[in-house]
Amino acid sequence: MTRESTRHGRLATPVVAAAALLLGALTAPAGAAAYGPPPDPAPGGPQRPYEPDVPGPRNIDALAATVTPDGATARGVRVAFDRTSRSETGGAPAGARRFVFLFDDSIRFRPESFPVCARSVIEEKGVTACPVGSRVGRGTSHVYPEGTAEVLAFNTRYANGSRGALVVIPASRTVLELTWERVTRPYQQRGYLWALDEILPPSAIPPQERAGTRRFELEWGATRQAGGRPVSFAETSAKPGEKVRIGLWSSFVTGQVVLPRTTVVVGEPGGRP
């Protein structure tokens, strides 16, 4: 089974032309339609169950970000995403199918150095039962039209051995699974390397009635002591004052795909598109 964004078949074009289209989609301004939707950056990860596209509003998304030192190690950082979304019609934005968090190729992660928490633990006992040190992210979900909810992210490892994270919204008892994926070559050529692929599974709510969030903030990063030495969950080889890339590939129930992205100066707040 292919990803949602390629589910309607392959274009019968030469390989060179196809590659040009993929690179064009990445270099075009965010939201531009001249080259079609941006390609899936992580098609090799877990597959979302198929759902047909539904009618709905077109979303307009924007992304801000920061990459700031975590104060624990020389290269340790916290990477914060701040996504906003609105519909062209002014109502609730369409619901999402997937988010793929894209990180600059200077940024590396050390999930193997942090404890893991299993989904079953969270579902049976709550987030307070997760091992100390397993939380690797935190943020806020801003629901439409108003209201907020705390978001927590935990380091995890799945039954097949792959590593990832669990994004949890305790107020709604929502648990979303993410996997670490290397991005495809066109994205590597644009300066990305690792991605966290988040699937929002189908639910009993009809797709056209699933309202999207108007904003979510999620910071990835954590520190702990391991063997008597500090360890950072996220690290970068970029120095303070240098620029790094951050992106957020997003797929919606309407079939729309967007790729807001930003360039961030390490150590400074307020990265913008």
Side-chain angles (χ1 to χ4, degrees):
M1 183 181 296
T2 59
R3 288 287 197 187
E4 299 283 352
S5 60
T6 58
R7 203 173 290 283
H8 298 295
R10 298 179 180 176
L11 295 175
T13 54
V15 172
V16 173
L21 286 172
L22 292 179
L23 290 173
L26 294 179
T27 56
Y35 296 92
D40 190 335
Q47 304 297 300
R48 186 183 189 274
Y50 172 70
E51 280 187 321
D53 298 343
V54 297
R58 182 174 180 80
N59 287 356
I60 300 174
D61 281 26
L63 179 67
T66 59
V67 177
T68 54
D70 63 16
T73 63
R75 294 187 174 186
V77 290
R78 298 181 185 273
V79 184
F81 287 72
D82 186 352
R83 166 195 174 257
T84 57
S85 185
R86 62 181 178 87
S87 72
E88 284 185 331
T89 61
R97 287 173 173 161
R98 285 174 61 212
F99 292 114
V100 182
F101 296 84
L102 299 168
F103 300 93
D104 189 89
D105 58 13
S106 70
I107 299 174
R108 298 290 192 275
F109 295 87
R110 301 187 63 180
E112 73 284 351
S113 298
F114 284 72
V116 298
C117 189
R119 178 174 188 145
S120 58
V121 171
I122 295 172
E123 291 178 331
E124 294 171 11
K125 301 178 181 179
V127 295
T128 57
C130 285
V132 174
S134 62
R135 182 173 65 78
V136 294
R138 190 168 201 159
T140 304
S141 174
H142 301 255
V143 298
Y144 181 88
E146 59 183 15
T148 61
E150 182 184 41
V151 178
L152 302 172
F154 293 89
N155 191 35
T156 198
R157 192 162 191 173
Y158 300 105
N160 64 0
S162 63
R163 293 189 180 275
L166 299 172
V167 166
V168 185
I169 305 176
S172 61
R173 305 183 74 176
T174 299
V175 182
L176 300 173
E177 296 183 351
L178 294 76
T179 55
W180 287 107
E181 307 289 344
R182 273 185 175 265
V183 299
T184 55
R185 186 171 180 181
Y187 285 84
Q188 292 179 21
Q189 292 173 333
R190 298 305 303 166
Y192 301 99
L193 182 60
W194 286 103
L196 270 171
D197 187 354
E198 175 181 281
I199 292 177
L200 285 72
S203 71
I205 301 173
Q208 62 271 25
E209 297 179 15
R210 298 175 200 157
T213 54
R214 59 185 173 88
R215 180 184 182 187
F216 72 69
E217 303 163 271
L218 185 54
E219 180 185 78
W220 297 98
T223 64
R224 68 183 294 260
Q225 292 288 320
R229 301 179 62 183
V231 179
S232 295
F233 182 72
E235 300 176 337
T236 184
S237 59
K239 296 179 174 59
E242 293 183 345
K243 295 180 178 180
V244 298
R245 303 169 186 84
I246 301 294
L248 184 64
W249 186 93
S250 308
S251 172
F252 303 100
V253 296
T254 57
Q256 182 189 6
V257 175
V258 300
L259 177 56
R261 54 198 182 276
T262 184
T263 300
V264 177
V265 176
V266 176
E268 293 185 5
R272 301 295 175 189

